[in-house]
């Protein structure tokens, strides 16, 4: 016969059950989030909790925990007499092509830019190195708050070599992607870009500008864009509101 549980082992077993339930709730939340972001609930209303439980072979408690996670992400909300409804929207940002934000999100509305800073600055060592310039060379620095349909979406900080970037000073930076302006000014298309994507916490400045809670998770995209000959012309640090954007791409496995 199995041994009777000792009093000391009972809290351990209870903690293990809670952990397993939390794991299952997180896994279920991942599946529901994917359905929400890909239009799996066209009416904007999620199925009843018992239906979700049956579909995913989960307990009602697990379903409630999963929905609570999604409420914490501001994706869904509980409405009396209606049920759990989708209240948040994340816009898809593809990583397959080199495009400006307005080009990437043109199907979802109008992107506008609030130019917060623009002008020459002395490049720091890392910026000069990435742009292949002598240290302390002057570069054009541009900081823009990007909005989609009026909602703050990203805070972009860009550095450009002054011989090219200086010509942007007379351009319409409020309504036009820098990529499009660069191609117009240079008379040739951009070539390629190196990107790094990571999660960062919103500092006080970024949180205030993006109207996000301080410490909220942001998606940080670092992008170095080059001309077809390989010359780097645009070093960007882009902070996206993590609750309003999702990154996706198509990857092929090379043998």
């Amino acid at each position: 016969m199995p041994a009777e549980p000792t009093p000391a082992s009972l809290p351990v077993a209870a903690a293990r059950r809670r952990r397993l339930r939390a794991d299952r709730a997180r896994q279920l939340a991942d599946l529901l989030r994917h359905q929400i972001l890909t239009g799996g609930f066209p009416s904007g209303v999620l199925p009843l909790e018992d239906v979700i439980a049956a579909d995913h072979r989960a307990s009602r408690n697990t379903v409630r925990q999963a929905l609570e996670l999604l409420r914490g992400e501001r994706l869904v909300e509980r409405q009396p007499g209606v049920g759990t409804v989708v209240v948040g929207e994340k816009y898809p940002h593809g990583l397959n092509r080199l495009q400006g934000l307005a080009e990437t999100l043109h199907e979802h509305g109008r992107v506008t830019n609030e130019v917060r800073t623009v002008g020459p600055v002395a490049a720091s060592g890392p910026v000069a190195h990435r742009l292949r310039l002598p240290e302390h060379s002057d570069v054009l620095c541009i900081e823009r708050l990007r909005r989609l349909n009026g909602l703050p979406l990203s805070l972009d900080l860009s550095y450009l070599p002054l011989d090219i970037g200086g010509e942007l000073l007379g351009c319409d930076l409020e309504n036009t992607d820098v990529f499009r302006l660069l191609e117009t000014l240079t008379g040739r298309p951009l070539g390629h870009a190196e990107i790094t994507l990571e999660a960062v916490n919103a500092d006080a400045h970024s949180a205030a500008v993006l109207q996000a809670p301080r410490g909220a998770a942001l998606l940080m995209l670092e992008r170095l864009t080059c001309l077809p000959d390989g010359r780097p012309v645009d070093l960007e640090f882009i902070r996206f509101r993590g609750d309003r954007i999702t990154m996706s791409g198509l990857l092929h496995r090379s043998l």
Side-chain angles (χ1 to χ4, degrees), residues 6-22:
T6 64
S9 69
L10 293 177
V12 174
R16 183 173 183 274
R17 287 195 297 271
R18 288 194 298 271
R19 179 178 60 79
L20 290 175
R21 188 165 61 243

Side-chain angles (χ1 to χ4, degrees), residues 164-193:
I164 293 178
E167 298 187 51
L168 295 175
L169 291 172
C171 296
D172 184 8
L173 293 169
E174 293 185 353
N175 299 291
T176 314
D177 281 338
V178 166
F179 281 1
R180 186 174 296 277
L181 293 173
L182 286 174
E183 290 180 329
T184 299
L185 292 172
T186 62
R188 49 182 170 161
L190 296 170
H192 68 276

Side-chain angles (χ1 to χ4, degrees), residues 30-145:
D30 289 343
L31 296 174
L32 294 173
R33 185 188 303 105
H34 176 77
Q35 288 181 276
I36 292 170
L37 298 180
T38 56
F41 306 113
S43 67
V45 181
L46 273 65
L48 297 176
E49 290 180 0
D50 57 350
V51 175
I52 296 176
D55 286 346
H56 294 273
R57 298 183 179 181
S59 69
R60 289 284 295 274
N61 282 339
T62 297
V63 172
R64 292 191 185 104
Q65 279 189 258
L67 294 177
E68 187 61 33
L69 291 174
L70 297 177
R71 278 194 286 270
E73 297 174 18
R74 302 181 183 178
L75 276 181
V76 302
E77 194 52 77
R78 183 79 179 174
Q79 292 187 0
V82 179
T84 301
V85 300
V86 178
V87 295
E89 183 175 8
K90 289 194 176 187
Y91 299 99
H93 188 297
L95 296 175
N96 297 318
R97 298 181 59 194
L98 181 56
Q99 293 182 311
L101 192 64
E103 294 173 309
T104 301
L105 300 178
H106 73 278
E107 296 179 352
H108 301 281
R110 181 167 179 258
V111 173
T112 56
N113 311 308
E114 176 189 328
V115 181
R116 299 177 54 81
T117 300
V118 59
V121 298
S124 64
V127 170
H129 174 73
R130 298 294 303 282
L131 292 174
R132 299 183 195 167
L133 298 171
E135 194 166 344
H136 306 306
S137 297
D138 282 345
V139 295
L140 182 70
C141 175
I142 307 173
E143 184 181 76
R144 295 166 296 160
L145 170 62

